[in-house]
Amino acid sequence: MRIVADTNILINALLAGRSLPARVIDLWRDGRVELVTAREQIDEMMRVTRYPKIRERLSPALAGRLINELRDLAILVDRLPEVDASPDPFDNYLLATALAGAAQYLVTGDKRDLLSLGSYQGVQIIDLRTFLARMRYLP
C-alpha cells in the first residue's frame, strides 16, 4: 500500500519518537507501507526543521537522517501534475504527490483544508488515527 504522509505527520514523528505519528514511520521502515514523497516535501522538511521552535526540540542529526531516508528509500516522484483542489494552495503539492505516486492514502492532520476534501481522484484523505486503525497499528 502506498501512502503520502503530510509533513505535519513526519515532523511530529521526529519530535516524539514513541507517538502515533512515529508509527507511520515504523510502518514504512518495517515495509508494511510504501511512503511516497516529492522534492517539494523534502524541501519543506528541510525548511521546517530549521525553524527555531523546532530546532530547540529536535536534533539536526535526527532530522537529517529522516530527510536522507526520504531521499533514498521513499518513492520519490518528480513530475507532479497540476492540482488546484485544496483550500490552502500550499497543500496542492501533497495531492499531486499522491496522484503521481499512485498512493491510496494521504494521511494528514490538516482538518480545515485537506481532511475536508475527504478524497481526491481516488486518493482517500484520512487522519492519522483512522489510518492506524485500518493498519491495525493502534496501541
Side-chain angles (χ1 to χ4, degrees):
M1 165 186 317
R2 288 184 176 191
I3 69 164
V4 171
D6 195 341
T7 305
N8 64 39
I9 301 288
L10 299 175
I11 295 295
N12 284 316
L14 287 173
L15 292 172
R18 297 188 190 275
S19 63
L20 291 180
R23 290 175 178 258
V24 172
I25 303 297
D26 293 341
L27 287 167
W28 172 49
R29 287 178 175 154
D30 292 345
R32 293 187 56 198
V33 299
E34 293 178 294
L35 192 60
V36 179
T37 192
R39 174 76 42 218
E40 290 81 352
Q41 185 171 39
I42 292 171
D43 291 347
E44 182 178 28
M45 289 281 298
M46 291 171 58
R47 187 176 62 256
V48 170
T49 57
R50 291 184 185 128
Y51 292 165
K53 68 180 182 178
I54 301 292
R55 286 192 73 128
E56 66 189 33
R57 296 180 52 206
L58 178 64
S59 143
L62 187 60
R65 176 180 171 214
L66 181 59
I67 289 167
N68 287 336
E69 282 182 305
L70 288 171
R71 279 190 193 123
D72 297 340
L73 304 174
I75 297 168
L76 185 63
V77 294
D78 57 356
R79 293 187 188 263
L80 298 182
E82 192 71 32
V83 172
D84 186 22
S86 175
D88 179 352
F90 293 109
D91 288 335
N92 283 320
Y93 85 88
L94 291 167
L95 296 168
T97 300
L99 289 177
Q104 286 83 21
Y105 294 103
L106 169 55
V107 182
T108 183
D110 187 341
K111 293 178 185 168
R112 187 184 57 170
D113 298 316
L114 290 172
L115 287 171
S116 68
L117 296 173
S119 68
Y120 182 73
Q121 293 189 13
V123 177
Q124 294 182 50
I125 303 167
I126 60 175
D127 65 54
L128 178 62
R129 283 192 171 278
T130 302
F131 175 70
L132 293 174
R134 287 185 186 179
M135 294 300 297
R136 295 184 170 85
Y137 203 61
L138 278 174

